[in-house]
Amino acid sequence: MRKNIVAGNWKMNTTLQDGQALISEIVNMVQDEVTGSQVEVVVCPPFPFLSVIGKQLPQGGRFHLGAQNCHQKESGAFTGEVSAQMLQSVGAEYVILGHSERRQYFREDDELLSQKLKAALAAGLKPIFCVGESLETREAEDTFKFIEKQLKDGLFHLSNEEFDQVVVAYEPIWAIGTGKTATSAQAQEVHAFIREQIARAYDAEAADNTTILYGGSANAQNARELFSQPDVDGGLIGGASLKSRDFTEIIKSF
Ligand SMILES: O=C(CO)COP(=O)(O)O
């Protein structure tokens, strides 16, 4: 079902102690200040903190725990890796897959991401599947073609039932960590396009029910404008999710 979600991707930041202090501030501020709106908050700390941070989140409310990656296999001799089932067992409900940093630095391609998606879904996790073009692709006016291919090759192999569990995040690479946010019109244009592709691959109902988040230099100043767009259902926030006041303001932007 389509929801409003603000997700914080901490990436490889904080110590456990700093992360605990951050989340306790966020929880307090959100509980004091965010009233009425149904926005769901997903916190995605690094693997070693998941269990501890998860326990700090008020249960049964708007807060949910997410991970930033998972391995494609259920278990076995894969030293240093973390399975979807492990994440589920420590309380994660979501997992980010296909982030451009993983595609770029860890060479995750559509084939591997398809396997990771299957593994996440089999473990009962909800994937937050990221797509997004580089500056070069945008300047060559190939954005739509590129996004269409990422969706087709990485995501649309899922069955209707599987796809129901997926949140899509549009993260233009040129906007990530750069301070260059997509304008609300640029975001809306691509979000509407993604929804159209979902309607084609599945049906209108699936398209209407899919939550599509925007990510890339979203902050307390621009969130309201971005979230006011009809096809922008929330944000996947990097840098600003590490500052309790900024993150709370973004949550309040609905
Ligand atoms: O990559 C992002 C979230 O996954 C966005 O990062 P920034 O908000 O730091 O640009």
Side-chain angles (χ1 to χ4, degrees):
M1 209 50 183
R2 190 159 165 188
K3 298 176 193 166
N4 289 327
I5 297 178
V6 173
N9 175 8
W10 293 10
K11 308 192 179 182
M12 196 172 75
N13 290 297
T14 81
T15 59
L16 174 61
Q17 291 72 23
D18 291 346
Q20 285 186 284
L22 173 66
I23 205 63
S24 118
E25 284 174 19
I26 290 170
V27 166
N28 288 336
M29 284 184 193
V30 169
Q31 283 183 332
D32 287 348
E33 300 176 30
V34 184
T35 49
S37 105
Q38 292 298 305
V39 59
E40 207 174 88
V41 179
V42 181
V43 180
C44 305
F47 286 146
F49 313 158
L50 277 168
S51 186
V52 176
I53 298 288
K55 290 198 178 83
Q56 276 186 264
L57 301 176
Q59 298 306 298
R62 67 169 82 244
F63 283 96
H64 300 267
L65 189 66
Q68 299 173 20
N69 179 34
C70 71
H71 193 263
Q72 64 276 23
K73 291 277 183 356
E74 232 173 76
S75 63
F78 301 102
T79 302
E81 290 297 321
V82 176
S83 74
Q85 202 182 16
M86 291 173 186
L87 299 175
Q88 196 275 338
S89 75
V90 296
E93 289 175 57
Y94 289 88
V95 61
I96 299 171
L97 291 174
H99 194 284
S100 60
E101 288 151 16
R102 300 239 27 120
R103 291 180 192 259
Q104 185 184 346
Y105 305 135
F106 303 96
R107 310 229 184 289
E108 296 196 356
D109 58 15
D110 295 323
E111 169 57 29
L112 177 65
L113 290 171
S114 300
Q115 294 173 23
K116 289 191 174 203
L117 271 169
K118 288 279 189 189
L121 290 162
L125 297 176
K126 298 183 188 109
I128 301 176
F129 188 79
C130 307
V131 296
E133 80 288 359
S134 65
L135 186 59
E136 202 185 356
T137 301
R138 177 158 284 265
E139 284 176 347
E141 297 184 2
D142 280 337
T143 297
F144 293 118
K145 208 164 74 189
F146 184 83
I147 303 278
E148 185 180 346
K149 185 166 165 44
Q150 279 189 323
L151 291 169
K152 268 201 183 132
D153 295 351
L155 191 57
F156 290 164
H157 56 89
L158 297 178
S159 69
N160 280 67
E161 293 68 33
E162 289 171 328
F163 187 77
D164 265 358
Q165 302 302 310
V166 174
V167 170
V168 178
Y170 169 55
E171 297 211 316
I173 297 169
W174 48 270
I176 297 177
T178 57
K180 277 193 216 150
T181 324
T183 64
S184 54
Q186 283 173 323
Q188 168 57 27
E189 193 183 27
V190 179
H191 282 228
F193 176 78
I194 292 171
R195 215 177 285 287
E196 210 177 281
Q197 298 307 305
I198 298 169
R200 278 193 194 185
Y202 297 93
D203 52 39
E205 197 187 339
D208 196 42
N209 282 338
T210 304
T211 301
I212 308 178
L213 309 179
Y214 168 80
S217 297
N219 58 38
Q221 284 71 46
N222 58 33
R224 193 171 293 275
E225 168 74 19
L226 285 162
F227 297 169
S228 70
Q229 301 302 309
D231 288 298
V232 179
D233 304 312
L236 180 53
I237 318 297
S241 74
L242 297 167
K243 296 179 197 134
S244 53
R245 174 45 55 205
D246 293 38
F247 193 55
T248 306
E249 288 301 323
I250 294 172
I251 295 164
K252 282 166 70 180
S253 300
F254 275 105

